[in-house]
Amino acid sequence: MGPLFGAVLARALDAWWEELGRPDPFVVVEAGAGPGALARAVLAAAPDCASALRYVLVERSPTLRKSLEATMPMVTVLPELPAQHFAGVVVANELLDNLAFLVVERRGEGWDEIRVGEDGGRLVEIAFPAAPDLAAEAATLAPNAARGARIPVQHQAATWVRQALGLIDRGRLVVFDYARPTTVLASLPWREWLRTYRGHERAADPLADPGQRDITCDVAIDQLPAPSSVRTQADFLAAYGVDELVAEGKAIWQERAAIGDLAAVRARSRISEAEALTDRAGLGGYSVAEWVVG
Ligand SMILES: C[S@@+](CC[C@H](N)C(=O)[O-])C[C@H]1O[C@@H](n2cnc3c(N)ncnc32)[C@H](O)[C@@H]1O
């Protein structure tokens, strides 16, 4: 999450503001804001819509909310999505992969739900026959799953998308996440879509060290309300002018590399951020799902 991503999002916000007929206020809700890096980058890019912009950060963690309130007095910080409807945009970067999900496993003709229990002070998996509704849902989502295949069932993510859409009178919901259809997830070893990280390094068993690891799950895109469009992050960034911003960075770098001042360093890091963000085998392959409302 660097300045370039924020600068491109700022351009996208301007385009959406224009599309809506320049509403004032133009509400932008960023959900799962974390430490606020994206919001800072967007505001630093000084979008044209700035005069109408009401930037709202939604963050569940009280510690992060406290630090956002202390360091970003120009934004509103909330623990939940706002209660009132608005014209504008809801954005969420890597939020849906953080929400709790169920795991089910194909067993013979049926499905087991994989729950978590305790055995001698350790967390362990316990397989239960899935309730009929859940089994029927799993069978619809992954009809050809092999025995032993697992899928996530992401009710919380679907509910969150419905809730966010319900708030928007006119505008759009834009979600950035790693997303694949459930049938693809069913064909993969489950540890490939249910990943854990510790200190930014891939970790192993999701049940080890409870509370000490990030647990993340690829978003099963077909389990969400149908989006208006889904494209790769590389295509999204291209559509909102990443190439122009990178060309600008290259020109500054060429002019100032020998001086080596802050402008030169910023230009150089814009070029390397672009390489990472648009790499289709990495971050560029992330999905950007959009729901247009009204
Ligand atoms: C993986 S982090 C992403 C942070 C930031 N968007 C980024 O890309 O750097 C997910 C964030 O969402 C927050 N979160 C999780 N569930 C949430 C919810 N239901 N509403 C708001 N925030 C939530 C977490 O506390 C965490 O800060």
Side-chain angles (χ1 to χ4, degrees):
M1 183 60 60
L4 179 62
F5 191 84
V8 177
L9 185 58
R11 285 181 168 220
L13 292 178
D14 280 339
W16 300 329
W17 183 52
E18 294 286 347
E19 257 173 40
L20 290 173
R22 299 179 157 228
D24 187 354
F26 176 47
V27 177
V28 173
V29 175
E30 189 197 330
L38 180 57
R40 277 177 240 272
V42 168
L43 298 174
D48 294 341
C49 62
S51 59
L53 188 59
R54 299 285 175 280
Y55 209 106
V56 179
L57 299 179
V58 179
E59 174 50 58
R60 178 163 280 184
S61 152
T63 312
L64 288 171
R65 280 205 307 281
K66 220 174 190 179
S67 127
L68 291 168
E69 279 160 357
T71 56
M72 301 190 73
M74 68 302 257
V75 303
T76 305
V77 181
L78 300 175
E80 298 289 343
L81 287 168
Q84 282 159 346
H85 293 212
F86 53 82
V89 180
V90 179
V91 185
N93 186 54
E94 296 196 14
L95 168 69
L96 297 188
D97 70 329
N98 254 224
L99 301 183
F101 53 93
L102 305 175
V103 175
V104 291
E105 179 176 309
R106 184 78 193 255
R107 175 191 42 86
E109 293 307 303
W111 290 83
D112 277 349
E113 181 182 353
I114 307 300
R115 298 190 189 170
V116 179
E118 200 191 327
D119 182 17
R122 276 185 329 116
L123 296 181
V124 292
E125 289 188 352
I126 305 177
F128 281 90
D133 284 2
L134 181 58
E137 189 178 358
T140 310
L141 291 169
N144 299 320
R147 278 181 194 194
R150 290 183 173 187
I151 58 169
V153 178
Q154 296 175 327
H155 293 157
Q156 286 200 14
T159 301
W160 187 90
V161 168
R162 274 193 289 275
Q163 198 188 343
L165 288 174
L167 286 175
I168 305 170
D169 288 330
R170 291 184 315 126
R172 64 181 68 208
L173 166 65
V174 185
V175 163
F176 300 85
D177 239 310
Y178 199 67
R180 306 196 246 202
T182 309
T183 48
V184 172
L185 300 179
S187 70
L188 297 171
W190 65 274
R191 289 272 178 94
E192 281 190 27
W193 49 258
L194 195 172
R195 293 180 298 276
T196 71
Y197 292 88
R198 188 170 185 166
H200 298 289
E201 295 289 324
R202 261 302 266 280
D205 182 2
L207 300 184
D209 309 329
Q212 302 298 313
R213 295 178 179 198
D214 255 353
I215 300 182
T216 169
C217 182
D218 288 357
V219 175
I221 191 79
D222 54 309
Q223 296 185 31
L224 305 178
S228 313
S229 70
V230 182
R231 52 184 151 176
T232 62
Q233 180 163 286
D235 288 341
F236 175 88
L237 294 170
Y240 291 105
V242 74
D243 294 339
E244 204 180 311
L245 290 166
V246 172
E248 200 180 279
K250 283 185 175 155
I252 297 173
W253 173 246
Q254 271 166 12
E255 201 182 295
R256 309 195 71 85
I259 308 171
D261 61 0
L262 191 59
V265 175
R266 281 204 184 120
R268 182 71 201 96
S269 57
R270 182 184 280 186
I271 299 163
S272 41
E273 190 186 339
E275 283 162 7
L277 286 176
T278 56
D279 173 9
R280 288 177 190 272
L283 291 174
Y286 271 46
S287 298
V288 185
E290 293 177 64
W291 291 259
V292 178
V293 182

